[in-house]
Amino acid sequence: TGEGGLTIPEPAEPAEPEVPVPSPIISLPAGIEVGDLIKTADIATVYLVTAEGKRRPFPNETVWFSYYTDFGDIKIISEEIISQIPLGNNVTLRAGTYLMKIPSDAKVYAVEPSTVIRWLPSQEIAAGLYGPDWRSRVIDMPEVFFADYIVKEDVIENIHPTGALIQYSGASEIYYIDNGQQRL
């Protein structure tokens, strides 16, 4: 519970990673559609097929479980078919699910949509936004994946970053924060 009786809920339902709107018309191999989760039988990496006709890898289980609760709905395809789909950037953490840091730096970041992260410069701001147990939401992301994110301006006041989910104490409604505005 944060300031004003604010309770930060755990993600209620899995959500699909953002799939950008296509600009050109793309051609995917037969049986493969935008939004599919694909892998080969011999390689553990799972990919998301995007509207640009690329396959974006999930870099680790932490990122996977920020979107999904299990490994269902993955299509197993041949190496020949997967090689026809160009490799894209890694899938990044789902906005609002975790706070992120890297092992070599103590800075903790809020994760927003579109691969944006914003530094929470004080424990007071983190506690004000994410409650007294905010540290339980912090995950150490391997440094090799830090470049997948875009660092934007710091969070300098108790205004929830875009992508946060909030719930007030005693209420059942959950709100999504979008540029400082609450959406039910």
PDB file of all heavy atoms in Angstrom, residues 61-78:
ATOM      1  N   GLU A  61      13.263 -16.014 -18.905  1.00  0.00           N
ATOM      2  CA  GLU A  61      11.961 -16.363 -18.332  1.00  0.00           C
ATOM      3  C   GLU A  61      11.306 -15.191 -17.606  1.00  0.00           C
ATOM      4  O   GLU A  61      10.084 -15.107 -17.566  1.00  0.00           O
ATOM      5  CB  GLU A  61      12.091 -17.557 -17.392  1.00  0.00           C
ATOM      6  CG  GLU A  61      12.267 -18.866 -18.129  1.00  0.00           C
ATOM      7  CD  GLU A  61      12.230 -20.075 -17.206  1.00  0.00           C
ATOM      8  OE1 GLU A  61      12.108 -19.917 -15.966  1.00  0.00           O
ATOM      9  OE2 GLU A  61      12.311 -21.195 -17.735  1.00  0.00           O
ATOM     10  N   THR A  62      12.089 -14.300 -17.024  1.00  0.00           N
ATOM     11  CA  THR A  62      11.506 -13.155 -16.335  1.00  0.00           C
ATOM     12  C   THR A  62      10.684 -12.324 -17.310  1.00  0.00           C
ATOM     13  O   THR A  62       9.552 -11.934 -17.005  1.00  0.00           O
ATOM     14  CB  THR A  62      12.605 -12.286 -15.686  1.00  0.00           C
ATOM     15  OG1 THR A  62      13.335 -13.090 -14.768  1.00  0.00           O
ATOM     16  CG2 THR A  62      12.010 -11.092 -14.963  1.00  0.00           C
ATOM     17  N   VAL A  63      11.230 -12.056 -18.478  1.00  0.00           N
ATOM     18  CA  VAL A  63      10.479 -11.298 -19.487  1.00  0.00           C
ATOM     19  C   VAL A  63       9.261 -12.099 -19.927  1.00  0.00           C
ATOM     20  O   VAL A  63       8.155 -11.556 -20.022  1.00  0.00           O
ATOM     21  CB  VAL A  63      11.381 -10.923 -20.683  1.00  0.00           C
ATOM     22  CG1 VAL A  63      10.562 -10.288 -21.799  1.00  0.00           C
ATOM     23  CG2 VAL A  63      12.494  -9.986 -20.245  1.00  0.00           C
ATOM     24  N   TRP A  64       9.433 -13.387 -20.179  1.00  0.00           N
ATOM     25  CA  TRP A  64       8.300 -14.235 -20.598  1.00  0.00           C
ATOM     26  C   TRP A  64       7.162 -14.147 -19.580  1.00  0.00           C
ATOM     27  O   TRP A  64       6.011 -13.895 -19.932  1.00  0.00           O
ATOM     28  CB  TRP A  64       8.751 -15.689 -20.767  1.00  0.00           C
ATOM     29  CG  TRP A  64       7.606 -16.597 -21.071  1.00  0.00           C
ATOM     30  CD1 TRP A  64       6.875 -17.325 -20.170  1.00  0.00           C
ATOM     31  CD2 TRP A  64       7.016 -16.851 -22.340  1.00  0.00           C
ATOM     32  NE1 TRP A  64       5.883 -18.019 -20.805  1.00  0.00           N
ATOM     33  CE2 TRP A  64       5.942 -17.738 -22.144  1.00  0.00           C
ATOM     34  CE3 TRP A  64       7.298 -16.408 -23.630  1.00  0.00           C
ATOM     35  CZ2 TRP A  64       5.147 -18.199 -23.185  1.00  0.00           C
ATOM     36  CZ3 TRP A  64       6.505 -16.875 -24.667  1.00  0.00           C
ATOM     37  CH2 TRP A  64       5.444 -17.758 -24.440  1.00  0.00           C
ATOM     38  N   PHE A  65       7.473 -14.366 -18.304  1.00  0.00           N
ATOM     39  CA  PHE A  65       6.433 -14.409 -17.284  1.00  0.00           C
ATOM     40  C   PHE A  65       5.887 -13.031 -16.922  1.00  0.00           C
ATOM     41  O   PHE A  65       4.911 -12.938 -16.183  1.00  0.00           O
ATOM     42  CB  PHE A  65       6.922 -15.166 -16.045  1.00  0.00           C
ATOM     43  CG  PHE A  65       6.969 -16.650 -16.269  1.00  0.00           C
ATOM     44  CD1 PHE A  65       8.173 -17.326 -16.195  1.00  0.00           C
ATOM     45  CD2 PHE A  65       5.821 -17.372 -16.581  1.00  0.00           C
ATOM     46  CE1 PHE A  65       8.231 -18.696 -16.417  1.00  0.00           C
ATOM     47  CE2 PHE A  65       5.863 -18.733 -16.800  1.00  0.00           C
ATOM     48  CZ  PHE A  65       7.071 -19.405 -16.717  1.00  0.00           C
ATOM     49  N   SER A  66       6.453 -11.967 -17.462  1.00  0.00           N
ATOM     50  CA  SER A  66       5.824 -10.661 -17.292  1.00  0.00           C
ATOM     51  C   SER A  66       4.622 -10.524 -18.240  1.00  0.00           C
ATOM     52  O   SER A  66       3.800  -9.631 -18.068  1.00  0.00           O
ATOM     53  CB  SER A  66       6.836  -9.522 -17.486  1.00  0.00           C
ATOM     54  OG  SER A  66       7.214  -9.338 -18.827  1.00  0.00           O
ATOM     55  N   TYR A  67       4.496 -11.444 -19.205  1.00  0.00           N
ATOM     56  CA  TYR A  67       3.363 -11.459 -20.136  1.00  0.00           C
ATOM     57  C   TYR A  67       2.468 -12.685 -19.979  1.00  0.00           C
ATOM     58  O   TYR A  67       1.256 -12.586 -20.159  1.00  0.00           O
ATOM     59  CB  TYR A  67       3.862 -11.441 -21.594  1.00  0.00           C
ATOM     60  CG  TYR A  67       4.508 -10.159 -22.003  1.00  0.00           C
ATOM     61  CD1 TYR A  67       5.894 -10.017 -21.955  1.00  0.00           C
ATOM     62  CD2 TYR A  67       3.755  -9.079 -22.438  1.00  0.00           C
ATOM     63  CE1 TYR A  67       6.499  -8.832 -22.338  1.00  0.00           C
ATOM     64  CE2 TYR A  67       4.357  -7.894 -22.817  1.00  0.00           C
ATOM     65  CZ  TYR A  67       5.738  -7.778 -22.759  1.00  0.00           C
ATOM     66  OH  TYR A  67       6.322  -6.598 -23.136  1.00  0.00           O
ATOM     67  N   TYR A  68       3.033 -13.829 -19.702  1.00  0.00           N
ATOM     68  CA  TYR A  68       2.295 -15.087 -19.737  1.00  0.00           C
ATOM     69  C   TYR A  68       2.442 -15.842 -18.419  1.00  0.00           C
ATOM     70  O   TYR A  68       3.422 -15.668 -17.706  1.00  0.00           O
ATOM     71  CB  TYR A  68       2.801 -15.975 -20.886  1.00  0.00           C
ATOM     72  CG  TYR A  68       2.711 -15.302 -22.227  1.00  0.00           C
ATOM     73  CD1 TYR A  68       3.836 -14.731 -22.816  1.00  0.00           C
ATOM     74  CD2 TYR A  68       1.508 -15.216 -22.901  1.00  0.00           C
ATOM     75  CE1 TYR A  68       3.760 -14.100 -24.053  1.00  0.00           C
ATOM     76  CE2 TYR A  68       1.419 -14.579 -24.129  1.00  0.00           C
ATOM     77  CZ  TYR A  68       2.544 -14.017 -24.701  1.00  0.00           C
ATOM     78  OH  TYR A  68       2.464 -13.380 -25.906  1.00  0.00           O
ATOM     79  N   THR A  69       1.469 -16.726 -18.143  1.00  0.00           N
ATOM     80  CA  THR A  69       1.527 -17.526 -16.914  1.00  0.00           C
ATOM     81  C   THR A  69       2.086 -18.921 -17.151  1.00  0.00           C
ATOM     82  O   THR A  69       2.419 -19.621 -16.202  1.00  0.00           O
ATOM     83  CB  THR A  69       0.127 -17.658 -16.285  1.00  0.00           C
ATOM     84  OG1 THR A  69      -0.761 -18.242 -17.248  1.00  0.00           O
ATOM     85  CG2 THR A  69      -0.395 -16.297 -15.858  1.00  0.00           C
ATOM     86  N   ASP A  70       2.164 -19.342 -18.413  1.00  0.00           N
ATOM     87  CA  ASP A  70       2.710 -20.668 -18.729  1.00  0.00           C
ATOM     88  C   ASP A  70       3.265 -20.642 -20.153  1.00  0.00           C
ATOM     89  O   ASP A  70       3.318 -19.600 -20.781  1.00  0.00           O
ATOM     90  CB  ASP A  70       1.651 -21.768 -18.553  1.00  0.00           C
ATOM     91  CG  ASP A  70       0.423 -21.561 -19.443  1.00  0.00           C
ATOM     92  OD1 ASP A  70       0.554 -21.049 -20.587  1.00  0.00           O
ATOM     93  OD2 ASP A  70      -0.689 -21.914 -19.015  1.00  0.00           O
ATOM     94  N   PHE A  71       3.676 -21.823 -20.629  1.00  0.00           N
ATOM     95  CA  PHE A  71       4.269 -21.905 -21.971  1.00  0.00           C
ATOM     96  C   PHE A  71       3.299 -22.485 -22.994  1.00  0.00           C
ATOM     97  O   PHE A  71       3.712 -23.054 -23.994  1.00  0.00           O
ATOM     98  CB  PHE A  71       5.572 -22.712 -21.925  1.00  0.00           C
ATOM     99  CG  PHE A  71       6.695 -21.983 -21.247  1.00  0.00           C
ATOM    100  CD1 PHE A  71       7.063 -22.299 -19.946  1.00  0.00           C
ATOM    101  CD2 PHE A  71       7.369 -20.974 -21.891  1.00  0.00           C
ATOM    102  CE1 PHE A  71       8.098 -21.620 -19.313  1.00  0.00           C
ATOM    103  CE2 PHE A  71       8.404 -20.279 -21.273  1.00  0.00           C
ATOM    104  CZ  PHE A  71       8.761 -20.608 -19.985  1.00  0.00           C
ATOM    105  N   GLY A  72       2.001 -22.336 -22.764  1.00  0.00           N
ATOM    106  CA  GLY A  72       1.009 -22.810 -23.719  1.00  0.00           C
ATOM    107  C   GLY A  72       0.993 -21.935 -24.968  1.00  0.00           C
ATOM    108  O   GLY A  72       1.575 -20.843 -25.004  1.00  0.00           O
ATOM    109  N   ASP A  73       0.355 -22.408 -25.997  1.00  0.00           N
ATOM    110  CA  ASP A  73       0.133 -21.655 -27.248  1.00  0.00           C
ATOM    111  C   ASP A  73       1.394 -21.348 -28.041  1.00  0.00           C
ATOM    112  O   ASP A  73       1.419 -20.414 -28.840  1.00  0.00           O
ATOM    113  CB  ASP A  73      -0.627 -20.352 -26.982  1.00  0.00           C
ATOM    114  CG  ASP A  73      -2.003 -20.603 -26.386  1.00  0.00           C
ATOM    115  OD1 ASP A  73      -2.632 -21.617 -26.745  1.00  0.00           O
ATOM    116  OD2 ASP A  73      -2.448 -19.785 -25.562  1.00  0.00           O
ATOM    117  N   ILE A  74       2.445 -22.102 -27.848  1.00  0.00           N
ATOM    118  CA  ILE A  74       3.660 -21.913 -28.640  1.00  0.00           C
ATOM    119  C   ILE A  74       3.614 -22.887 -29.810  1.00  0.00           C
ATOM    120  O   ILE A  74       3.386 -24.077 -29.623  1.00  0.00           O
ATOM    121  CB  ILE A  74       4.931 -22.168 -27.803  1.00  0.00           C
ATOM    122  CG1 ILE A  74       5.016 -21.155 -26.667  1.00  0.00           C
ATOM    123  CG2 ILE A  74       6.177 -22.094 -28.685  1.00  0.00           C
ATOM    124  CD1 ILE A  74       6.135 -21.429 -25.682  1.00  0.00           C
ATOM    125  N   LYS A  75       3.805 -22.364 -31.009  1.00  0.00           N
ATOM    126  CA  LYS A  75       3.862 -23.205 -32.205  1.00  0.00           C
ATOM    127  C   LYS A  75       5.287 -23.713 -32.393  1.00  0.00           C
ATOM    128  O   LYS A  75       6.228 -22.921 -32.403  1.00  0.00           O
ATOM    129  CB  LYS A  75       3.459 -22.424 -33.459  1.00  0.00           C
ATOM    130  CG  LYS A  75       2.004 -22.054 -33.537  1.00  0.00           C
ATOM    131  CD  LYS A  75       1.722 -21.353 -34.868  1.00  0.00           C
ATOM    132  CE  LYS A  75       0.258 -21.012 -34.996  1.00  0.00           C
ATOM    133  NZ  LYS A  75      -0.022 -20.329 -36.273  1.00  0.00           N
ATOM    134  N   ILE A  76       5.440 -25.016 -32.546  1.00  0.00           N
ATOM    135  CA  ILE A  76       6.742 -25.602 -32.847  1.00  0.00           C
ATOM    136  C   ILE A  76       6.839 -25.686 -34.368  1.00  0.00           C
ATOM    137  O   ILE A  76       5.990 -26.318 -35.017  1.00  0.00           O
ATOM    138  CB  ILE A  76       6.887 -27.018 -32.231  1.00  0.00           C
ATOM    139  CG1 ILE A  76       6.544 -27.007 -30.738  1.00  0.00           C
ATOM    140  CG2 ILE A  76       8.283 -27.569 -32.505  1.00  0.00           C
ATOM    141  CD1 ILE A  76       7.448 -26.169 -29.884  1.00  0.00           C
ATOM    142  N   ILE A  77       7.853 -25.026 -34.922  1.00  0.00           N
ATOM    143  CA  ILE A  77       8.012 -25.012 -36.376  1.00  0.00           C
ATOM    144  C   ILE A  77       9.420 -25.468 -36.744  1.00  0.00           C
ATOM    145  O   ILE A  77      10.295 -25.564 -35.891  1.00  0.00           O
ATOM    146  CB  ILE A  77       7.712 -23.610 -36.966  1.00  0.00           C
ATOM    147  CG1 ILE A  77       8.692 -22.563 -36.443  1.00  0.00           C
ATOM    148  CG2 ILE A  77       6.275 -23.191 -36.651  1.00  0.00           C
ATOM    149  CD1 ILE A  77       8.537 -21.194 -37.082  1.00  0.00           C
ATOM    150  N   SER A  78       9.607 -25.725 -38.011  1.00  0.00           N
ATOM    151  CA  SER A  78      10.909 -26.225 -38.471  1.00  0.00           C
ATOM    152  C   SER A  78      11.947 -25.101 -38.516  1.00  0.00           C
ATOM    153  O   SER A  78      11.609 -23.916 -38.598  1.00  0.00           O
ATOM    154  CB  SER A  78      10.777 -26.835 -39.861  1.00  0.00           C
ATOM    155  OG  SER A  78      10.559 -25.818 -40.827  1.00  0.00           O
TER     156      SER A  78
END
